[in-house]
Amino acid sequence: MELRNINENINIIENIKAHSIGEEMDVEVGDILISINDNIIKDIIDYKFHISDEYVIVKIKKANGEIWDLEIEKEYDEDLGIEFSNSLIDKAKSCRNNCMFCFIDQLPENMRETLYFKDDDSRLSFLQGNFITLTNMSDEDINRIIKYRISPINISVHTTNKDLREEMLNNKNAGKLYDILKRFNEANIEMNAQIVLIPGVNDGIELKNTLNDLSKLYPNIESVAVVPVGLTKYRQGLKKIEAYDREKSTKLLNEIKEYQGKYLKEFGSRFIFASDEFYVLSKIDLPTYEDYEGFPQIENGVGLLRDFKASIEEELSKLKDIKANKKVLIATGTLAYDFMSDIAKMISDKIPGLNIEVIEVKNDFFGHTITVSGLITGKDLIKNVEKKDFNQLIIPESMLRNGEEVFLDDISLEDVRKKIKKDVFISKVNGFDFINTLIN
């Protein structure tokens, strides 16, 4: 997630949810939160911890300088319904690593400043699911996580080999990882692990050893996801790294299948899951819905395609006597093109008169090795669709900056609409939203 206001540590209230306690107590946008039960609120974790009581006194500063003490009786863990201009409240902790595979180091120049900020903040892991490396954590930070029961935490492991991890992250503190994981395990902190896999670096025997170490911390480490390294065309001066292809992906998936069988017998869980990209690259069929065991790392691209297909099938089964008379263009990245083409056929067969064409948007901005929809720019989208014949265009919400209608290259959705002179609709990656966007 792209962070905003990363250098602020003032608790400025930016939004009050309708029908919330905050609205009832006349909290307003621009008010500043000072304390809860006389506890100074340093960051969002303090806020979540101290707001959980059934009776709280919330001190805020109004725009005119008045100080209000709000006495509030509420349900345990009920929130006030207020949101801050800085989601962390505190300054975001930046990454101290210099990873050989860092995606931000592979960005072109002259993009907006916030895209170049490397976060590595445990609070973002708890709040938004970000993965963190644990390399910039003090004993105080670790103890605070244990005290506040911050859980689950998503951790970028990559390898448990101390020397190799220090090399991959280019940080002498990187080798302390497993000791921290053991402390969290002893405190029963829930964790999910991610391994960005690089051919010839942390795969093969290194992957096997890493899984062996992590499996000793099951079930507090609930799942391990392996994702392929992402390489853009902007790698001048960076370490040479190989990408995954069909052959390497097939070999890896065969190994993972063996590991899953082993852990299924030991734990009753497959424990390790491969990202969708490996299945697309290898052209191996996706696992079944049940094989994903509740999709613990779906936000990491693990099972997203299978879950989407299942939700499409469910929504189509509910449709009766639906007809249409329009041509819809669906834009997607290279990775999901074949998959989305199959989805389009399923829907067209069910809805007479609905003509769907899927367009594969090649990523000229970052390079054709980048195949996911979430990194498609407005310029590349326009280039690929402006000469097509259609009534409306549908794009996934992942193409846009979170909460805004802006692409990575700062082209707005409205700019795209004006340029192509057609309707453009945003769809969430679920069957209900997608089908309704198509037919309504």
Side-chain angles (χ1 to χ4, degrees):
M1 175 176 288
E2 183 181 349
L3 297 175
R4 295 183 299 117
N5 301 338
I6 56 178
N7 294 316
E8 289 186 353
N9 56 359
I10 302 174
N11 313 339
I12 302 172
I13 296 170
E14 183 180 66
N15 184 50
I16 299 98
K17 295 180 180 178
H19 314 299
S20 66
I21 294 173
E23 183 181 67
E24 182 181 337
M25 302 299 292
D26 293 326
V27 177
E28 299 174 297
V29 172
D31 290 351
I32 295 175
L33 173 67
I34 298 175
S35 66
I36 299 173
N37 292 341
D38 292 327
N39 295 290
I40 300 299
I41 304 304
K42 298 178 181 178
D43 62 17
I44 195 67
I45 302 303
D46 278 342
Y47 172 77
K48 293 286 188 182
F49 183 77
H50 291 296
I51 206 63
S52 63
D53 291 340
E54 294 175 340
Y55 175 79
V56 293
I57 298 177
V58 178
K59 188 184 293 290
I60 64 170
K61 182 178 181 180
K62 305 294 287 184
N64 62 5
E66 291 183 359
I67 304 297
W68 286 11
D69 284 334
L70 307 177
E71 297 185 34
I72 300 171
E73 292 186 17
K74 61 183 187 62
E75 297 294 326
Y76 180 77
D77 268 353
E78 184 180 4
D79 194 70
L80 300 185
I82 62 177
E83 297 172 346
F84 301 95
S85 61
N86 179 346
S87 59
L88 285 177
I89 297 178
D90 190 19
K91 296 177 182 179
K93 287 188 177 181
S94 61
C95 181
R96 296 178 182 174
N97 309 313
N98 187 21
C99 299
M100 64 171 64
F101 53 85
C102 179
F103 193 83
I104 292 176
D105 288 343
Q106 303 177 69
L107 293 179
E109 296 179 352
N110 302 318
M111 299 181 74
R112 56 180 175 268
E113 184 180 355
T114 51
L115 289 174
Y116 299 101
F117 179 74
K118 302 179 183 181
D119 76 83
D120 196 11
D121 200 309
S122 60
R123 298 164 298 186
L124 288 171
S125 179
F126 172 64
L127 292 169
Q128 302 172 348
N130 295 28
F131 280 82
I132 57 174
T133 66
L134 306 180
T135 56
N136 62 358
M137 298 192 72
S138 64
D139 279 342
E140 181 183 354
D141 294 327
I142 295 168
N143 291 333
R144 190 164 178 255
I145 286 174
I146 294 171
K147 174 187 175 182
Y148 283 177
R149 310 299 304 164
I150 298 174
S151 187
I153 296 180
N154 295 327
I155 301 168
S156 290
V157 171
H158 310 315
T159 179
T160 53
N161 179 327
K162 294 176 65 174
D163 293 337
L164 178 59
R165 195 168 194 263
E166 289 177 7
E167 179 187 348
M168 290 181 69
L169 276 60
N170 196 23
N171 187 328
K172 63 182 181 181
N173 291 320
K176 301 176 182 178
L177 168 82
Y178 199 64
D179 290 335
I180 300 175
L181 296 183
K182 286 191 290 187
R183 288 180 64 180
F184 287 157
N185 180 61
E186 290 166 2
N188 289 321
I189 299 296
E190 296 175 17
M191 297 169 276
N192 290 298
Q194 170 188 258
I195 299 173
V196 174
L197 218 52
I198 304 174
V201 177
N202 60 336
D203 58 352
I205 189 64
E206 292 294 345
L207 176 60
K208 181 179 181 179
N209 292 338
T210 296
L211 291 174
N212 183 55
D213 288 337
L214 296 179
S215 67
K216 294 173 183 175
L217 307 182
Y218 179 86
N220 286 321
I221 292 186
E222 179 188 9
S223 67
V224 179
V226 292
V227 302
V229 62
L231 306 175
T232 80
K233 65 182 181 182
Y234 300 99
R235 287 193 58 82
Q236 294 86 351
L238 300 177
K239 184 178 179 66
K240 187 175 180 180
I241 290 177
E242 289 185 41
Y244 272 91
D245 55 18
R246 183 174 184 177
E247 182 181 353
K248 292 186 181 72
S249 298
T250 301
K251 182 175 183 293
L252 174 70
L253 289 177
N254 288 333
E255 292 172 358
I256 287 177
K257 190 173 182 179
E258 290 185 20
Y259 296 138
Q260 288 181 327
K262 173 179 179 291
Y263 294 126
L264 198 57
K265 289 180 181 178
E266 291 181 16
F267 305 144
S269 168
R270 290 166 181 80
F271 187 58
I272 177 173
F273 303 90
S275 74
D276 294 353
E277 191 166 353
F278 284 118
Y279 291 98
V280 174
L281 286 169
S282 67
K283 301 192 182 300
I284 292 175
D285 290 341
L286 294 168
T288 67
Y289 189 91
E290 292 72 23
D291 286 350
Y292 284 103
E293 300 180 15
F295 300 88
Q297 295 213 37
I298 193 167
E299 297 297 335
N300 205 10
V302 179
L304 193 64
L305 298 182
R306 172 56 71 193
D307 183 65
F308 182 63
K309 184 177 182 180
S311 64
I312 290 288
E313 291 170 340
E314 180 181 357
E315 292 304 317
L316 288 179
S317 69
K318 300 174 184 177
L319 295 182
K320 294 181 179 179
D321 301 323
I322 298 293
K323 295 181 181 179
N325 183 24
K326 59 182 176 182
K327 185 172 184 179
V328 178
L329 190 65
I330 298 173
T332 187
T334 303
L335 176 68
Y337 173 72
D338 290 338
F339 174 81
M340 287 304 301
S341 296
D342 291 340
I343 294 292
K345 185 177 186 309
M346 284 172 50
I347 298 172
S348 296
D349 289 345
K350 182 72 175 183
I351 305 176
L354 182 60
N355 186 344
I356 305 175
E357 180 184 355
V358 179
I359 181 83
E360 175 186 16
V361 181
K362 288 186 168 61
N363 201 320
D364 292 332
F365 187 85
F366 287 110
H368 293 179
T369 53
I370 299 300
T371 60
V372 295
S373 299
L375 293 173
I376 289 173
T377 60
K379 184 177 180 180
D380 281 341
L381 179 65
I382 291 170
K383 186 193 308 180
N384 281 267
V385 306
E386 62 180 340
K387 295 182 181 179
K388 290 285 184 178
D389 176 31
F390 59 94
N391 301 116
Q392 67 185 50
L393 171 66
I394 297 178
I395 64 171
E397 65 175 353
S398 60
M399 283 189 189
L400 302 172
R401 179 177 174 178
N402 185 61
E404 298 181 31
E405 295 187 348
V406 180
F407 293 84
L408 277 171
D409 55 356
D410 283 338
I411 291 178
S412 71
L413 192 61
E414 189 57 33
D415 292 334
V416 175
R417 289 188 179 112
K418 289 178 181 178
K419 182 67 176 177
I420 67 176
K421 297 180 175 60
K422 297 284 177 64
D423 286 334
V424 184
F425 296 91
I426 308 165
S427 175
K428 296 179 181 178
V429 188
N430 65 67
F432 177 81
D433 202 68
F434 190 73
I435 296 295
N436 277 278
T437 304
L438 277 171
I439 64 180
N440 292 329

